[in-house]
Amino acid sequence: MSLAELRTRVAGAFTKAFGGRPQACVQAPGRVNLIGEHTDYNEGFVLPCAIDRATVVAVRARDDRQVHVLALDEGPDRDSFALDVPITPVPARPWTGYVRGMLREALAGQLDLPGLDLVIAGDVPQGSGLSSSASLTVAVGTACQAVGALRGVDPTGLARMAQRAENHFVGCQCGIMDQLVSSRGEAGCALWIDCRSLATRAVPIPPDLCVLIAHSRVRRGLVDSHYNERRAACEAAARHFGVAALRDVSAGQLAGSGLDPLTLRRARHVLTENERTLRAAEALARGELRNLATLMAESHVSMREDFEITVPAVDQLVAIVDGVLAGEGGCRMTGGGFGGCVVAVLPAAAMDEVEHAVQRHYRSPDGLPAAVFRCRASAGAAPLP
Ligand code: GLA
């Protein structure tokens, strides 16, 4: 669905639900990470791009400190709460946590916030590792700004607020990557992020290259506990070296460090991935596709062997894509791991053949074909015209 269609959908539903017209409609995109996996919470480097799938919100301020939310993709489902009593989770309806969490963070930061009527819809596939949740929290924040609230909060501040909403309210210990690229992404570019300073740099994707995503249709349970376990291993490694984060350790320090073998492999993934991400950003900027492809392949091996977050179905998907590209394009698992998507950066001319090979040769353990998305690197969150 195009942004214009999503806009028409939320604006129409707004009038039906609340009467009159919304003051504004805004969008915030999902994302795919080209390289730099599990490096964000280690204060390292990532290279994601925002994609042309987004959450769209229609908004109007109210003068009574009440918030009414209509989520069109959740049934539809409605949620109402007041800003002047403590905002608490509704565990039976998880989607409400992203809206409530974001507004509670705004209040916790003593930011100005009126009552709101909100209508939400989107086309970021949920549960696929394309950050539908980050796009929702960032879209809610952007909607607040579109009615004059959250004054003085820049896009990076908005991303941090969205991350805190996930960390504190939803209970997901994610890093800053998803929210920051949703808020700061630039059309036609990947976004290099230093996750310590939160400095960003747009890296143009050469016009003859495309981004393709294939979803393995594998979703493992316990994803959060695996994620938190990997995070804990990285923190333990940083403590071992007496530093704030693995960012401060170099790959050369690992040998003879006395780390236990498992923690050493976890740390090695992060340290080598940071180096690969720096080199990949340069390779992409220079249009050196073969270099980029090599770095993406090494990243996948590191996730499979050292960080152990891939599953056989995802490995198979990468092998199918690599089989077609033969080095003239890169492919790796993307996102938190244990299923989800692979991302490929490839010449436009190779798209059909890759998609065809995936449709023909890939089946998930449940016999499902992959879902393939051809993506355009897109701009970050903004009001819609
Ligand atoms: C998830 C998290 C991100 C990041 C990735 C792994 O997407 O939300 O913060 O840690 O996993 O790179």
Side-chain angles (χ1 to χ4, degrees):
M1 211 180 277
S2 70
L3 281 176
E5 286 168 325
L6 282 168
R7 186 192 197 289
T8 305
R9 184 157 177 244
V10 291
F14 189 99
T15 302
K16 253 196 194 149
F18 301 120
R21 291 166 59 171
Q23 266 171 278
C25 292
V26 305
Q27 67 86 20
R31 66 95 186 91
V32 65
N33 190 18
L34 304 185
I35 195 164
E37 222 63 79
H38 287 261
T39 45
D40 61 352
Y41 55 80
N42 290 297
E43 301 185 10
F45 311 107
V46 293
L47 188 66
C49 68
I51 59 175
D52 49 339
R53 286 169 170 263
T55 301
V56 170
V57 178
V59 59
R60 190 172 62 201
R62 302 173 57 97
D63 49 20
D64 63 357
R65 308 286 295 158
Q66 300 292 310
V67 177
H68 297 288
V69 196
L70 176 63
L72 298 181
D73 303 326
E74 301 291 332
D77 195 12
R78 247 183 126 124
D79 185 30
S80 296
F81 53 97
L83 292 175
D84 291 332
V85 292
I87 301 176
T88 53
V90 188
R93 294 188 294 152
W95 72 267
T96 61
Y98 300 99
V99 183
R100 287 175 171 238
M102 194 63 184
L103 299 186
R104 194 175 74 169
E105 281 306 322
L107 294 172
Q110 317 250 304
L111 293 163
D112 52 306
L113 197 62
L116 297 164
D117 288 329
L118 300 166
V119 176
I120 302 171
D123 64 354
V124 187
Q126 291 186 21
S128 298
L130 299 178
S131 293
S132 60
S133 55
S135 86
L136 172 54
T137 47
V138 172
V140 168
T142 307
C144 295
Q145 293 192 310
V147 296
L150 313 188
R151 269 188 296 272
V153 178
D154 71 0
T156 298
L158 201 71
R160 295 181 72 157
M161 214 168 164
Q163 183 199 13
R164 283 197 302 274
E166 293 227 27
N167 292 167
H168 300 156
F169 199 87
V170 178
C172 163
Q173 296 310 311
C174 60
I176 188 71
M177 167 171 67
D178 310 343
Q179 295 78 11
L180 195 50
V181 68
S182 180
S183 108
R184 280 214 179 266
E186 290 190 28
C189 298
L191 193 71
W192 176 85
I193 304 173
D194 176 337
C195 298
R196 171 165 279 171
S197 67
L198 302 190
T200 61
R201 192 175 73 231
V203 181
I205 299 177
D208 54 329
L209 294 185
C210 293
V211 176
L212 180 138
I213 300 169
H215 187 270
S216 65
R217 312 282 287 271
V218 177
R219 270 202 84 188
R220 284 254 300 255
L222 300 177
V223 168
D224 286 352
S225 70
H226 284 303
Y227 186 90
N228 292 340
E229 206 177 276
R230 293 300 185 278
R231 200 176 164 143
C234 293
E235 284 162 4
R239 274 197 304 278
H240 177 89
F241 286 102
V243 294
L246 279 180
R247 160 71 172 270
D248 301 311
V249 180
S250 70
Q253 282 174 268
L254 283 177
S257 64
L259 268 184
D260 69 89
L262 183 68
T263 312
L264 186 138
R265 281 193 286 126
R266 302 293 189 250
R268 186 167 59 199
H269 164 73
V270 173
L271 306 186
T272 56
E273 186 78 348
N274 273 336
E275 286 175 13
R276 283 187 290 272
T277 304
L278 291 172
R279 288 165 54 201
E282 285 172 22
L284 181 64
R286 295 198 198 116
E288 297 169 358
L289 187 55
R290 278 197 158 265
N291 281 346
L292 180 67
T294 303
L295 292 162
M296 290 176 80
E298 287 171 3
S299 169
H300 188 81
V301 171
S302 179
M303 290 189 288
R304 188 181 68 213
E305 306 293 323
D306 276 350
F307 220 58
E308 296 182 281
I309 53 171
T310 75
V311 296
V314 165
D315 295 337
Q316 190 204 345
L317 204 40
V318 169
I320 292 168
V321 176
D322 278 342
V324 176
L325 292 176
E328 295 296 335
C331 183
R332 56 183 283 282
M333 188 198 79
T334 182
F338 308 100
C341 292
V342 308
V343 63
V345 179
L346 71 174
M351 292 271 263
D352 286 344
E353 200 185 339
V354 167
E355 181 162 358
H356 186 71
V358 165
Q359 300 301 11
R360 194 177 156 138
H361 298 299
Y362 178 80
R363 290 294 174 274
S364 77
D366 297 331
L368 299 171
V372 175
F373 310 101
R374 297 177 180 210
C375 284
R376 238 174 329 137
S378 298
L384 290 169

